[in-house]
Amino acid sequence: MATKLLLMFAICRLIVTVGLTLDPTELLRLNLEGQLSVEPSDVESASLDFGGMRRAEPWAVLHPASTEDVARLVKAAYESSHGFTVSARGHGHSINGQAMTTNGVVIQMSGGSGERRLGLGQPIAPMVHEKFMYVDVWGGELWIDVLRFTLEYGLAPKSWTDYLYLSVGGTLSNAGISGQAFNHGPQISNVYELDVVTGKGELMTCSEEYNSELFHAVLGGLGQFGIITRARIALEPAPQMVRWIRVLYSNFSTFTHDQEYLISLHGQPDSQKFDYVEGFVIVDEGLINNWRSSFFSPRNPVKISSLNANGNGGVLYCLEITKNYVESDADTIDQELDALLKKLNFIPNSVFTTDLPYVDFLDRVHKAELKLRSKGLWDVPHPWLNMFVPKSRIEDFDKGVFKGILGNKNKTSGPILIYPMNKNKWDERTSVVTPNEDVFYLVALLRSALENGDETQTLEYMSNQNRRILRFCDDEGINVKQYLPHYTTQQEWMDHYEDRWVQFNQRKLEFDPKHILATGQRIFKPSYNPSSASW
């Protein structure tokens, strides 16, 4: 009774504060075990995201206690005579409001009391199945917590993102990529099974074998077809240590040739390949000593001027590679590395190496986050731009963007990642769109906007620069595909999906026919009242 009274009080506050047109009994009948909150702090948190460039106005925030809570709320939205939208939010790390909603309820999947349950009353704690090498986790679980839990069994997921304080459901709704993707594929290629609440409020278990259309739709589906409440993630034996190496290049063709050679080794024995291949562009000295890691000692920073990069317009390229090992193999790791490095053509004497525990390598960005937070430089706008660029046009992209539009004007506002991936590691049945070439590159401009008096570091300048980059690609016929895509019109989304739009639209009609899920993506307007959409 006390819970119902509190819920009625919350609904009344909704009516008073935001003019909710919903019949209060529609929510009262849900018998939610979690908390439906209209507290200003909860609503404010759900109104913003990491990008810091957009604000929404949700009615309320649900902190679910179980999968059933998620299903009940979505079903209420689907059956409501008035209609409202629902968006699932993990760690709030989206850039352009993708996990936010106006005129609806945000389901806060991450954080909270930790008392949530998976379907059928199973406990929320991750469940490792050692014999079959997988772990079942709540969709709002952060990857850092999945890692900590599986390491207790000597196991770890195969594929990662560079930053681990992201939710499982959030990264699986996009793809989930890092330097392991050339070998294991993205995170969506390492999932065995999902529990999903569709836009009809139906809880469905899906996999390759059953409800496969939903399974493939949700993976990389940008939250359009359902909310992931449980994921079964593939595991492998966890290494203990990582040899982390950076080598430098002044010639872009040589740099990409070596990257492409390294990812071509994905089918070789572990001793004959690296475990992680990434890279980044250095247009400013500070970027090689950047916030992504404390790789180089602050007392001995790397100087671009000492590496004779002036002949390349001051631009350098850094190949970042790792070799995993256990301490008992420490004697052989040097021999394996020497054999691999001899086949690369980096600048002589530009090899920088460090050894660290596996967990510390995977969690490297978080340490830098803490430093930025201490300086008030984390909660600033992040006009990030992530693109998949076809291998056949990557040199044109280098000339027009790295050496052209960006030049030497980035000034340490954030790293510019570039690394290739093998398309055969991606399942074409999922909802993700990639270039139609065997190899394509991720190019990620992970910049932060600062109000420090420098025009080139303002949000307006960087946003305009992003538009210039996309316009350059369009004008030059470079068919890039945005990763973590953001568009403002449905026509742009149709252009993004090209001939796969028909399938994407059909899946939407089947699994979320009223278009109530993830409206922050701006792909479909709610069908119950299109004029109510704020965008």
Side-chain angles (χ1 to χ4, degrees):
M1 178 60 72
T3 301
K4 286 190 175 182
L5 288 174
L6 287 173
L7 183 55
M8 178 61 83
F9 177 69
I11 295 169
C12 289
R13 285 188 62 183
L14 281 173
I15 296 172
V16 172
T17 58
V18 299
L20 179 64
T21 59
L22 186 65
D23 180 352
T25 60
E26 290 187 34
L27 293 181
L28 189 61
R29 288 195 299 265
L30 297 183
N31 294 318
L32 298 172
E33 299 173 89
Q35 180 190 16
L36 184 68
S37 172
V38 292
E39 289 299 319
S41 59
D42 275 346
V43 173
E44 175 67 12
S45 177
S47 300
L48 302 167
D49 62 15
F50 178 71
M53 298 180 289
R54 193 174 301 281
R55 173 178 286 274
E57 297 181 3
W59 288 341
V61 178
L62 171 65
H63 300 274
S66 64
T67 295
E68 287 77 9
D69 273 358
V70 177
R72 287 171 185 143
L73 180 68
V74 176
K75 190 174 183 63
Y78 177 67
E79 295 180 345
S80 171
S81 57
H82 300 282
F84 62 95
T85 59
V86 177
S87 284
R89 184 179 192 269
H91 196 53
H93 206 76
S94 57
I95 303 301
N96 289 287
Q98 290 94 329
M100 300 191 299
T101 189
T102 292
N103 297 329
V105 178
V106 171
I107 302 179
Q108 183 59 57
M109 298 290 288
S110 301
S113 64
E115 297 177 352
R116 290 179 294 269
R117 297 193 306 277
L118 299 174
L120 304 177
Q122 300 173 39
I124 183 57
M127 292 177 288
V128 171
H129 301 260
E130 293 179 84
K131 179 180 179 180
F132 299 105
M133 301 284 281
Y134 63 73
V135 59
D136 285 312
V137 298
W138 169 254
E141 199 79 59
L142 299 185
W143 284 102
I144 181 63
D145 296 322
V146 175
L147 174 63
R148 289 167 177 163
F149 191 87
T150 58
L151 283 176
E152 295 178 11
Y153 298 81
L155 302 171
K158 297 178 179 181
S159 189
W160 295 99
T161 53
D162 284 339
Y163 181 60
L164 301 189
Y165 286 75
L166 305 172
S167 70
V168 170
T171 65
L172 295 183
S173 294
N174 288 281
I177 55 175
S178 185
Q180 303 88 1
F182 82 95
N183 194 30
H184 294 294
Q187 290 181 317
I188 58 173
S189 294
N190 295 276
V191 181
Y192 294 143
E193 187 177 87
L194 300 171
D195 282 347
V196 175
V197 175
T198 71
K200 300 176 184 178
E202 299 171 337
L203 175 60
M204 299 177 66
T205 298
C206 54
S207 70
E208 290 270 6
E209 288 74 34
Y210 37 91
N211 296 321
S212 60
E213 186 70 20
L214 177 63
F215 181 71
H216 294 122
V218 168
L219 294 174
L222 306 178
Q224 293 302 302
F225 313 108
I227 297 172
I228 298 171
T229 59
R230 178 184 64 92
R232 178 166 290 177
I233 308 297
L235 302 177
E236 66 177 357
Q240 294 173 322
M241 299 292 294
V242 170
R243 176 72 57 83
W244 187 7
I245 302 168
R246 285 177 174 173
V247 295
L248 300 176
Y249 295 76
S250 59
N251 183 278
F252 185 73
S253 295
T254 305
F255 168 68
T256 55
H257 177 272
D258 280 1
Q259 281 193 319
E260 290 166 17
Y261 165 71
L262 290 177
I263 72 166
S264 74
L265 303 176
H266 63 89
Q268 298 298 315
D270 290 344
S271 62
Q272 298 176 31
K273 64 184 177 184
F274 286 106
D275 296 291
Y276 165 102
V277 177
E278 283 200 14
F280 55 93
V281 182
I282 307 164
V283 296
D284 179 356
E285 235 167 54
L287 282 179
I288 198 167
N289 310 288
N290 66 59
W291 60 264
R292 293 184 71 236
S293 73
S294 53
F295 186 91
F296 301 108
S297 168
R299 295 183 297 275
N300 187 30
V302 174
K303 297 289 187 180
I304 287 181
S305 55
S306 69
L307 296 169
N308 193 28
N310 291 331
N312 197 39
V315 178
L316 284 176
Y317 309 94
C318 180
L319 173 63
E320 193 169 28
I321 44 185
T322 71
K323 192 76 172 155
N324 299 338
Y325 64 97
V326 294
E327 292 179 349
S328 60
D329 293 336
D331 293 339
T332 63
I333 192 73
D334 289 336
Q335 296 176 356
E336 293 178 8
L337 285 171
D338 287 344
L340 286 165
L341 290 174
K342 283 180 181 178
K343 297 182 179 181
L344 305 181
N345 295 290
F346 48 83
I347 297 173
N349 303 316
S350 72
V351 181
F352 305 92
T353 304
T354 187
D355 288 79
L356 71 170
Y358 182 62
V359 176
D360 290 354
F361 171 72
L362 290 180
D363 199 30
R364 61 199 179 280
V365 176
H366 182 58
K367 295 180 179 179
E369 173 192 347
L370 297 177
K371 294 179 182 178
L372 289 177
R373 284 189 183 277
S374 69
K375 299 176 182 179
L377 297 176
W378 184 258
D379 295 319
V380 298
H382 296 92
W384 288 6
L385 179 61
N386 298 272
M387 296 162 286
F388 292 141
V389 182
K391 168 189 169 180
S392 64
R393 303 301 303 276
I394 195 65
E395 291 204 23
D396 296 325
F397 189 95
D398 169 63
K399 294 174 184 175
V401 177
F402 299 148
K403 296 186 181 78
I405 295 173
L406 295 179
N408 60 355
K409 299 179 180 179
N410 200 46
K411 298 188 178 178
T412 69
S413 61
I416 305 171
L417 306 187
I418 174 172
Y419 58 91
M421 287 173 280
N422 296 308
K423 190 177 180 69
N424 62 8
K425 297 293 183 178
W426 294 65
D427 191 331
E428 289 291 285
R429 295 171 295 177
T430 69
S431 294
V432 177
V433 178
T434 60
N436 190 27
E437 294 190 8
D438 292 341
V439 171
F440 59 89
Y441 280 78
L442 171 77
V443 176
L445 281 67
L446 308 182
R447 302 182 293 175
S448 301
L450 305 174
E451 297 297 335
N452 58 4
D454 185 340
E455 179 194 2
T456 66
Q457 295 194 31
T458 63
L459 176 60
E460 181 180 9
Y461 184 91
M462 291 182 186
S463 297
N464 287 335
Q465 202 171 57
N466 287 345
R467 285 189 284 270
R468 284 182 61 198
I469 292 170
L470 292 172
R471 189 164 56 249
F472 164 79
C473 291
D474 188 51
D475 291 344
E476 295 297 317
I478 304 175
N479 189 22
V480 301
K481 294 297 181 184
Q482 285 192 39
Y483 176 58
L484 312 178
H486 167 65
Y487 301 103
T488 57
T489 69
Q490 192 173 83
Q491 183 59 54
E492 289 175 314
W493 283 107
M494 294 172 69
D495 294 340
H496 173 77
Y497 284 101
E498 296 184 5
D499 57 356
R500 296 182 62 185
W501 171 256
V502 172
Q503 179 191 55
F504 193 86
N505 189 53
Q506 288 174 342
R507 286 172 166 177
K508 186 69 171 179
L509 291 174
E510 180 176 358
F511 299 117
D512 182 24
K514 290 190 176 180
H515 304 170
I516 63 175
L517 295 179
T519 54
Q521 288 282 0
R522 300 187 172 201
I523 305 176
F524 301 95
K525 292 185 178 181
S527 59
Y528 57 82
N529 185 8
S531 64
S532 68
S534 61
W535 48 276

